Amino acid sequence: MTVSQRVPFYGRAAALHELLGHAGAVRDAGEGRLLTIDGRRQVGKSRLLTEFVERSRLPYLYYTAPNSPSPARHLQSWVDASVHSTRPLPDSDTLWAKPPRDWADVFGRLAIAARGAPSVVVLDEFGLACATVPDLEAILATHWQRHLRGCPLLLVLIGRRPLGAASTTSARHPTGDPLAAYAHPMTLPPLNPAECAHALGSGATAVKAFDTYLLTGGSPRLVAGCAEAGDPMEFARAGLHDENSDLAVMAPRFVAAEVGESASARLVLAAIGSDGRGLASFSRIVSQLPTSGVTAQTATTRALRLLTEGKQIVALEAPFGAPANTKLRRYYLGDSYLSFWYSFVQPRLGDIARGRPDIAVSALGTGWASWRAAAIRPIVQQALRRLTLTMPELARVETVGAWWNREGYEYDAVFGGAKGHS
């Protein structure tokens, strides 16, 4: 029984089609292809590649870099990985009988294994491996150019670096990113509403599918929880009864991984997430910081730059037609699960821990409808943008946005034509 048969797998038809297309190109051309896959944490990159290597029907080796500072531990893991492949690479028993000496030896062995027949090699958590060998990307680039790209090998790097993060190797490399000339980049998004409906099965309604998407942000692990519960609200209520549930713990783990010890970034996230509609102005965010004046404004500006441009956790929007520097700009969390957590879970963790989950469940019942109405707005706008490509009635529309003013008037969706007029 394969892994794909034991563990439910939802959606990802487009991603699987793209991956199988890369495998087919390697098989047909008899030449190597280097693929890099990035995406936010817990978005399902590893699960997707596990499904892919089984469906490809090609010999493969799936290596996961350990979370260890020891280079020797990373090299030993190649031996461990070779044992668990259901379709090992040729000569695996001989090639991986002993741990490689270094990463140059790793790539040399892979070139030997892949020289005769199309195969797949996955390097998961590649960023962890790079942390132990700072020049690893440059080493791989050299071996790819000299040996590996001449083999019928699909080499996949997962998690090369977090979204928005720079590579220390790239910064030192004279031509920039040492892998840029060879890699085919691919970014894996969260599950979409249609894939959430697929996970829910035949009993899914449109409302349940969108509620699942909003509640989970498309996180495959949380979507699977909704599917198992049979209803997104049942999953939410059950999660609010346990301070250690996936619903309760995944958000703080995500924040810790993305922003680390940046206190100002954490405070800014909390200020945006705790806003009643999840739409916070700059002044509103500043007012939530423990400092004030220029110090708070500077800290907020730096944190927002990290969260919007660097980590892409926070989204920025301005009223349709307003200048880019308008003071009516507002910020919201791009991940609806993160918004849900700050709205309904984080404020009630103390109640849940002391045995009063009923308080958290009651707050969810009271606030869900208004939160959902705000959370669905960017999803509707995205859908409208897609419709402009297929509906003749919207053929002249070039942009879709929202509009609001200081007096409280607001339109959730505004269409713009060629000259930007609504």
Side-chain angles (χ1 to χ4, degrees), residues 263-282:
S264 58
R266 288 172 177 269
L267 289 170
V268 167
L269 283 174
I272 299 172
S274 62
D275 185 86
R277 296 185 59 210
L279 299 166
S281 65
F282 183 84

Side-chain angles (χ1 to χ4, degrees), residues 316-336:
L316 166 66
E317 66 174 0
F320 184 88
N325 62 346
T326 176
K327 293 185 178 180
L328 288 175
R329 290 180 298 176
R330 59 192 186 186
Y331 300 85
Y332 65 93
L333 299 178
D335 184 331
S336 58

Side-chain angles (χ1 to χ4, degrees), residues 3 16 21 24 49 52 66-67 92 112 130 152 156 212-213 219 224 236 263 334 336 346 374 385 398:
V3 173
L16 279 171
L49 265 294
F52 160 67
N67 189 8
S92 283
I112 294 172
C130 291
V156 185
T212 296
Y213 179 76
S219 167
S336 58
Q346 193 267 348
R385 293 187 188 102
E398 293 190 354

Side-chain angles (χ1 to χ4, degrees), residues 161-386:
R161 62 185 67 120
L163 286 177
S167 166
T168 55
T169 301
S170 299
R172 297 193 304 268
H173 199 268
T175 59
D177 186 344
L179 299 178
Y182 314 112
H184 297 259
M186 177 178 173
T187 300
L188 188 66
L191 296 176
N192 60 40
E195 291 170 320
C196 291
H198 176 214
L200 293 175
S202 59
T205 64
V207 172
K208 284 187 177 182
F210 278 101
D211 281 354
T212 296
Y213 179 76
L214 293 176
L215 173 64
T216 66
S219 167
R221 184 166 179 170
L222 296 176
V223 171
C226 288
E228 184 176 354
D231 181 274
M233 299 313 296
E234 286 297 324
F235 172 73
R237 285 188 283 267
L240 291 174
H241 276 77
D242 182 2
E243 62 181 315
N244 295 310
S245 67
D246 285 342
L247 189 70
V249 303
M250 284 185 61
R253 289 174 180 173
F254 172 81
V255 172
E258 292 297 324
V259 305
E261 300 302 319
S262 175
S264 58
R266 288 172 177 269
L267 289 170
V268 167
L269 283 174
I272 299 172
S274 62
D275 185 86
R277 296 185 59 210
L279 299 166
S281 65
F282 183 84
S283 59
R284 154 78 178 173
I285 298 170
V286 171
S287 70
Q288 301 300 304
L289 267 63
T291 56
S292 60
V294 175
T295 300
Q297 293 178 7
T298 301
T300 300
T301 298
R302 291 175 177 172
L304 286 172
R305 185 177 298 116
L306 168 69
L307 296 170
T308 55
E309 300 173 9
K311 298 297 183 178
Q312 302 174 23
I313 301 172
V314 171
L316 166 66
E317 66 174 0
F320 184 88
N325 62 346
T326 176
K327 293 185 178 180
L328 288 175
R329 290 180 298 176
R330 59 192 186 186
Y331 300 85
Y332 65 93
L333 299 178
D335 184 331
S336 58
Y337 160 62
L338 205 57
S339 174
F340 175 89
W341 187 84
Y342 277 112
S343 298
F344 297 108
V345 184
Q346 193 267 348
R348 301 299 176 187
L349 283 174
D351 296 322
I352 298 170
R354 69 185 182 92
R356 289 297 308 275
D358 58 296
I359 298 176
V361 173
S362 176
L364 174 63
T366 301
W368 170 257
S370 60
W371 178 86
R372 177 173 60 175
I376 196 69
R377 183 184 53 83
I379 313 305
V380 171
Q381 291 179 356
Q382 292 170 15
L384 291 173
R385 293 187 188 102
R386 288 193 294 270

Side-chain angles (χ1 to χ4, degrees), residues 21-39:
H22 285 297
V26 168
R27 183 173 50 246
D28 295 342
E31 297 178 350
R33 182 166 292 199
L34 177 61
L35 182 65
T36 60
I37 300 183
D38 288 299

